[in-house]
Amino acid sequence: MASPLNPADQALADRLPPGVLRPVTPAYLEEPRARYQGQAGLVAAPRTTEEVAQIVRACGAARVGIVTRGGGTGLVAGQVMPDGPAPLVLSLERMTALRGIWPEENVLVAEAGMTLQAVRDAAEAQGRLFPLSLASQGTAAIGGCLSTNAGGVTALRYGTARALCLGVEAVLPDGSVVHDLKRLRKDNTGYDLRDLLIGAEGSLGIITAASLKLVLPPPNTGVAMLQVPSPEAALSLLALAERLMAGGVTAFELIGGEGLAFLAETLPEIRQPLPGAAWSVLIEVGLPQGLPADAALEELFEAALQQDLVTDGVIAQSGQQAATFWHLRENIPEANRRIGAVASHDISLPLSEIAGFIRDAGQALAARADVRVNCFGHLGDGNLHYNLFPAPGRHRAEYDDQRAALSLLVHEMAVARGGSFSAEHGVGRLKVAELERWGDPGRLQAMRAIKAALDPLGIMNPGAVLSQATG
Amino acid sequence: MASPLNPADQALADRLPPGVLRPVTPAYLEEPRARYQGQAGLVAAPRTTEEVAQIVRACGAARVGIVTRGGGTGLVAGQVMPDGPAPLVLSLERMTALRGIWPEENVLVAEAGMTLQAVRDAAEAQGRLFPLSLASQGTAAIGGCLSTNAGGVTALRYGTARALCLGVEAVLPDGSVVHDLKRLRKDNTGYDLRDLLIGAEGSLGIITAASLKLVLPPPNTGVAMLQVPSPEAALSLLALAERLMAGGVTAFELIGGEGLAFLAETLPEIRQPLPGAAWSVLIEVGLPQGLPADAALEELFEAALQQDLVTDGVIAQSGQQAATFWHLRENIPEANRRIGAVASHDISLPLSEIAGFIRDAGQALAARADVRVNCFGHLGDGNLHYNLFPAPGRHRAEYDDQRAALSLLVHEMAVARGGSFSAEHGVGRLKVAELERWGDPGRLQAMRAIKAALDPLGIMNPGAVLSQATG
């Protein structure tokens, strides 16, 4: 270690397994949106599940909080603890083994520190697909994907991370280990701890490994970008596609015109097949042998034209062209970053409420503030990234005093329609107040009871998901 | 009430909402296999969630256990309490409302007492499919299907009950109500109470309503029965079908020769398309527009023939013929009942362990006992119903002293291969000892902590899932 430890950290360090400590470097204390600055008394990078358990027991004895860190790509500050006594940051960077792969079972067992991309690559090497797909997959760890129940662009077909996990190995707050890396599709033997740990954002235990579902890649895949006259039309197009394709729609992404404008402004090298479209969708299908994807997309396009659901469209004629469509979609967040958001919202809505929400929220915001709205996202899941940007020529800092009120407005309008203030990013520390405000009281009470039962000392990611006064 | 209540029951009855009591009739105390005889001090049939909560609070105050009852079709005695102080049986028979259906969202909200068939019918009336399908669906309540995470024949494609539920309304052991009937595909706002209640078999709370996922029926469906030379070949055929069909395989059921023999003996009116087949499979596919199912099944059959994976087969030429194939499959349990099982096992195995298990278990049983094995089930899920029957001319009662040892042998051999002693039926009271024997200690400890936190008085289905001494 570069500098001497304070006595309390030194006492804890002496109880840790040998060789696990790492220097406390800035990389362990950051989150991508740079709103929170983390802190750490110690950083430990265990090599085995038993070392994780030893660290947890030592932290329990010392009453030191643990912030578990995978790839550090989370967007709600679950991976950084800015306030309170400095925690131990437990990094999973050394637990990156592929424990096994059973291609004939479509199962893979990965340690939690393996990146999502590495999991996908391991599956692909055996002719399989691990379908979870996120922009950050080169860095995001699979343990973090599970702890936050990550979503991404294929959840419409394959579900969120939760739906792709058969079982977990995890260390609980008392240092005990749950061994549940089953390779079974059905196992009704008691309470579903797996799904309790998935989405708990490290506040109930540390997922150290997971048994994951693989799928066979569909024989025929295709991608199209289709211009639609309105969000209503996009939803009707989705319904039409689902009716024709029998589960074959893999992704259905809504792209608002502001997103295309931001791309044109900040990343002009990205080719736009439908420049200026006020609303467009990117659709990917994966179909059986015997049904060419371009023919199926052509048929969809013709049927949609007849119903006035599309006004223009391009069907990718090659895998390369399909990749350029996806490249466009995946660079919208980067364009957003370059413009500089006033406020970002990861909301979900019942499908039949989406069009009304987009209309009403747009009007309400226009009446309140001089902002541009970039609304895009996973329409098939009802999941919108509804982000606000400065008017042309203005800077995000000029909106500092409006930001909270604008976010409250967006969240309130979503919740009033039966929606969620966090569709796929989680609660972390960013949305603890939102959960307390809009969470069902009965559900919150049960969450607090479970937290107190499993983590009576409150050492697991203190302050994440639930505020620390869990009485 | 027919007979006067004892003073304790009368005191509890006086605290219940007016009009909820029902006579304690035998129907409330039975389970389908008639191994357990239930008991009840009172039977209450609430009409609303608030009445459920009032009953739960009254039982808590009186320290009286609650056994919740839906359709009463469970196979592991979760719905009957034969020992200990007589419980209140809470029947959901009056909570059968369809609270709403949103076909454009593919969502339906049902009260827990609605039968699975009624849920399916409500979906069908709107051109939608609720894909959960069980032999007992005419009686089984949707609340029970969720509480036991029911599986059935379509789990391969659509998942078990858990995968078809978006949210629940539930009464917790303290009488508080969790309101979480969201119509959202994505909602990452805290711990997954929904999945904790699903599969908890009424021991953590009472599911009173659920928000359920619907799907659009596939445009082209088809069914075939295919004779296979071995379980290995059946698994290779499944892999081939999944490779070709891109998620289009809806069901893949293994049928052992003994099952066909039992059908021929006890239900000779059922037509058998492949009489005498030692192993056969029933496959159902649901495919997109543009891909006729019979053509796809024909192509599968030809490809499988070339790889020696099938030896004979019949593709249904009409919906009626498809129904007769399903009728055959669905009557295997009835034939089993008429023969009279020595012991039944609802096991699951990693797919690559199935063939070895069938071989080794068959040999081990043959060395131990003079029994016939009827092995059938949901092969696509790795879920076998591995049932033992008397040798011809013998009666099940002659095996009374062997039964426990034979079941232990089957379960041990499954668990040794990474399998489960309860794939889809649950734990109930029948398999509490098995869970204690083979359950992971870390997982059991966490389950007990959760039970104690949510149900400190131990009133929710006492003795189900976990033994009552929960430390």
Side-chain angles (χ1 to χ4, degrees):
Chain A
M1 309 295 290
S3 54
L5 295 172
N6 72 44
D9 288 336
Q10 187 62 56
L12 175 56
D14 291 344
R15 300 182 64 153
L16 299 181
V20 299
L21 286 181
R22 295 273 177 162
V24 182
T25 56
Y28 292 114
L29 308 178
E30 294 169 351
E31 50 87 16
R33 290 187 174 164
R35 294 190 205 172
Y36 295 81
Q37 174 59 41
Q39 42 162 357
L42 300 171
V43 173
R47 289 151 293 208
T48 64
T49 302
E50 180 47 36
E51 286 188 349
V52 174
Q54 289 173 38
I55 293 167
V56 169
R57 286 193 287 268
C59 287
R63 304 292 193 273
V64 169
I66 300 171
V67 174
T68 302
R69 198 174 174 97
T73 58
L75 294 172
V76 289
Q79 76 279 53
V80 288
M81 187 173 159
D83 306 313
L88 177 143
V89 169
L90 190 153
S91 168
L92 291 163
E93 67 198 66
R94 284 169 161 172
M95 291 188 66
T96 59
L98 176 70
R99 292 221 189 139
I101 183 163
W102 292 262
E104 72 281 17
E105 296 178 8
N106 288 316
V107 175
L108 174 159
V109 174
E111 286 189 343
M114 212 171 160
T115 65
L116 173 51
Q117 186 63 55
V119 170
R120 289 174 58 94
D121 290 346
E124 192 180 345
Q126 300 283 342
R128 298 299 186 277
L129 172 66
F130 182 67
L132 189 67
S133 180
L134 314 173
S136 60
Q137 64 197 26
T139 310
I142 191 67
C145 292
L146 290 167
S147 291
T148 59
N149 186 27
V153 294
T154 60
L156 174 63
R157 179 171 192 150
Y158 297 110
T160 60
R162 183 187 305 288
L164 297 169
C165 182
L166 297 170
V168 296
E169 175 191 270
V171 176
L172 297 185
D174 66 354
S176 63
V177 180
V178 171
H179 302 92
D180 194 28
L181 289 175
K182 53 178 180 270
R183 287 145 43 203
L184 302 174
R185 306 285 160 157
K186 282 184 178 171
D187 180 30
N188 278 349
T189 56
Y191 304 159
D192 186 3
L193 281 188
R194 172 192 66 200
D195 285 313
L196 190 61
L197 292 165
I198 292 174
E201 305 182 44
S203 71
L204 295 178
I206 298 169
I207 294 172
T208 51
S211 176
L212 302 171
K213 268 192 222 174
L214 308 179
V215 298
L216 286 156
N220 290 307
T221 61
V223 175
M225 286 195 67
L226 305 176
Q227 185 168 351
V228 293
S230 65
E232 288 90 335
L235 287 158
S236 297
L237 177 64
L238 170 64
L240 177 65
E242 292 196 312
R243 181 173 296 283
L244 295 174
M245 304 282 183
V249 183
T250 304
F252 196 90
E253 297 287 303
L254 180 71
I255 299 173
E258 209 67 75
L260 296 183
F262 290 177
L263 281 169
E265 180 180 339
T266 65
L267 297 163
E269 68 277 17
I270 292 181
R271 211 186 121 263
Q272 296 200 12
L274 299 169
W279 294 103
S280 54
V281 299
L282 187 161
I283 180 172
E284 178 168 322
V285 298
L287 299 171
Q289 184 105 325
L291 189 59
D294 49 358
L297 286 169
E298 193 70 51
E299 186 179 346
L300 172 67
F301 183 72
E302 294 298 329
L305 261 184
Q306 283 176 19
Q307 298 176 40
D308 295 326
L309 302 179
V310 295
T311 54
D312 196 359
V314 188
I315 297 171
Q317 296 303 309
S318 66
Q320 196 180 353
Q321 196 178 10
T324 66
F325 292 179
W326 272 115
H327 185 66
L328 182 158
R329 163 63 184 87
E330 282 166 357
N331 271 285
I332 293 175
E334 177 57 26
N336 288 346
R337 265 187 292 276
R338 294 187 185 197
I339 299 287
V342 170
S344 300
H345 311 98
D346 164 44
I347 58 176
S348 62
L349 290 150
L351 287 185
S352 61
E353 299 287 346
I354 286 179
F357 170 84
I358 290 176
R359 180 193 62 227
D360 293 354
Q363 288 173 0
L365 285 164
R368 289 267 202 118
D370 187 20
V371 292
R372 290 179 288 179
V373 175
N374 185 9
C375 172
F376 66 105
H378 317 301
L379 192 69
D381 309 316
N383 180 188
L384 300 179
H385 297 307
Y386 192 88
N387 298 351
L388 311 185
F389 294 85
R394 297 185 66 186
H395 188 269
R396 63 191 301 271
E398 298 174 47
Y399 295 83
D400 281 352
D401 58 343
Q402 286 186 280
R403 181 170 295 121
L406 294 175
S407 281
L408 181 63
L409 177 73
V410 171
H411 285 152
E412 270 183 343
M413 293 185 79
V415 170
R417 288 176 178 271
S420 170
F421 60 85
S422 185
E424 60 175 8
H425 294 167
V427 176
R429 290 174 177 80
L430 184 65
K431 295 186 179 173
V432 170
E434 282 81 353
L435 179 57
E436 286 180 355
R437 182 183 187 107
W438 289 301
D440 174 65
R443 187 160 163 265
L444 279 169
Q445 183 184 319
M447 283 174 58
R448 290 199 179 95
I450 291 167
K451 170 75 173 175
L454 294 182
D455 184 18
L457 303 175
I459 59 169
M460 281 290 166
N461 212 358
V465 186
L466 294 167
S467 59
Q468 281 185 261
T470 56
Chain B
M1 309 294 293
S3 55
L5 294 170
N6 71 45
D9 287 336
Q10 187 61 58
L12 175 57
D14 291 343
R15 301 183 63 153
L16 298 181
V20 300
L21 284 181
R22 296 275 178 162
V24 182
T25 56
Y28 292 114
L29 310 177
E30 293 169 352
E31 51 88 14
R33 290 188 172 162
R35 295 189 204 171
Y36 295 81
Q37 175 59 41
Q39 44 163 355
L42 300 171
V43 172
R47 290 151 292 208
T48 63
T49 303
E50 180 47 36
E51 285 188 349
V52 175
Q54 289 173 37
I55 294 167
V56 169
R57 286 192 288 266
C59 287
R63 304 292 193 274
V64 169
I66 300 170
V67 174
T68 303
R69 196 172 175 99
T73 58
L75 294 172
V76 289
Q79 74 280 55
V80 288
M81 187 172 160
D83 307 313
L88 176 144
V89 169
L90 190 152
S91 169
L92 292 164
E93 69 199 65
R94 284 169 162 174
M95 291 186 66
T96 59
L98 176 70
R99 292 223 188 136
I101 183 163
W102 293 262
E104 72 283 16
E105 295 178 9
N106 288 315
V107 175
L108 175 160
V109 174
E111 286 190 342
M114 209 170 161
T115 66
L116 173 52
Q117 187 64 53
V119 171
R120 290 174 58 92
D121 290 346
E124 193 180 345
Q126 300 283 345
R128 298 299 186 279
L129 171 67
F130 182 65
L132 190 67
S133 179
L134 314 172
S136 59
Q137 64 198 26
T139 310
I142 191 67
C145 292
L146 290 168
S147 291
T148 60
N149 186 27
V153 293
T154 59
L156 173 63
R157 180 172 191 149
Y158 297 110
T160 60
R162 183 188 302 289
L164 297 169
C165 181
L166 296 171
V168 297
E169 175 190 87
V171 176
L172 297 186
D174 65 355
S176 62
V177 180
V178 171
H179 302 93
D180 193 30
L181 289 175
K182 55 178 180 270
R183 290 145 43 203
L184 302 174
R185 306 285 159 157
K186 283 183 176 170
D187 179 30
N188 278 347
T189 56
Y191 304 160
D192 186 4
L193 281 188
R194 172 192 68 200
D195 285 312
L196 190 62
L197 292 164
I198 293 174
E201 305 182 45
S203 70
L204 295 178
I206 299 170
I207 294 172
T208 51
S211 175
L212 302 171
K213 269 190 222 177
L214 309 178
V215 299
L216 286 155
N220 288 306
T221 61
V223 175
M225 286 196 65
L226 305 175
Q227 184 166 353
V228 293
S230 64
E232 289 89 337
L235 288 159
S236 298
L237 177 64
L238 169 64
L240 177 65
E242 292 197 309
R243 182 173 296 283
L244 295 174
M245 304 281 183
V249 183
T250 304
F252 196 90
E253 297 287 302
L254 180 71
I255 299 172
E258 208 67 75
L260 296 182
F262 289 178
L263 281 169
E265 182 180 338
T266 65
L267 297 163
E269 67 278 15
I270 291 182
R271 210 184 122 265
Q272 297 201 11
L274 299 169
W279 294 103
S280 54
V281 299
L282 187 161
I283 180 172
E284 177 168 323
V285 298
L287 299 171
Q289 182 106 325
L291 188 59
D294 51 356
L297 286 168
E298 193 69 52
E299 185 179 348
L300 172 66
F301 183 72
E302 293 298 330
L305 261 183
Q306 282 178 19
Q307 297 177 40
D308 296 325
L309 302 179
V310 295
T311 54
D312 197 358
V314 188
I315 297 170
Q317 298 303 309
S318 67
Q320 195 179 355
Q321 195 178 11
T324 66
F325 292 180
W326 274 116
H327 185 67
L328 182 158
R329 164 62 185 86
E330 282 166 356
N331 272 286
I332 293 175
E334 177 57 26
N336 288 346
R337 266 188 291 274
R338 295 187 184 198
I339 297 288
V342 171
S344 302
H345 309 98
D346 164 42
I347 58 174
S348 62
L349 289 151
L351 287 184
S352 61
E353 300 286 344
I354 285 178
F357 170 85
I358 290 176
R359 181 194 62 227
D360 292 354
Q363 289 173 0
L365 286 163
R368 290 265 201 119
D370 189 19
V371 291
R372 290 179 289 178
V373 175
N374 185 9
C375 173
F376 66 105
H378 318 302
L379 192 69
D381 310 317
N383 180 187
L384 300 178
H385 298 305
Y386 192 88
N387 297 353
L388 311 184
F389 294 86
R394 300 186 64 187
H395 188 269
R396 62 192 300 273
E398 298 173 48
Y399 296 82
D400 281 353
D401 58 344
Q402 288 186 279
R403 182 170 293 121
L406 294 176
S407 282
L408 182 62
L409 177 73
V410 170
H411 286 152
E412 271 184 342
M413 293 185 81
V415 170
R417 288 176 179 271
S420 170
F421 60 87
S422 185
E424 60 176 7
H425 294 168
V427 176
R429 290 174 176 79
L430 184 65
K431 295 187 179 174
V432 170
E434 282 80 355
L435 178 57
E436 285 179 354
R437 181 184 188 107
W438 289 301
D440 174 64
R443 188 162 162 264
L444 281 169
Q445 183 185 319
M447 284 173 58
R448 290 198 179 95
I450 291 167
K451 171 75 172 172
L454 294 182
D455 185 18
L457 303 175
I459 60 169
M460 281 290 165
N461 213 356
V465 187
L466 293 167
S467 57
Q468 282 185 262
T470 56

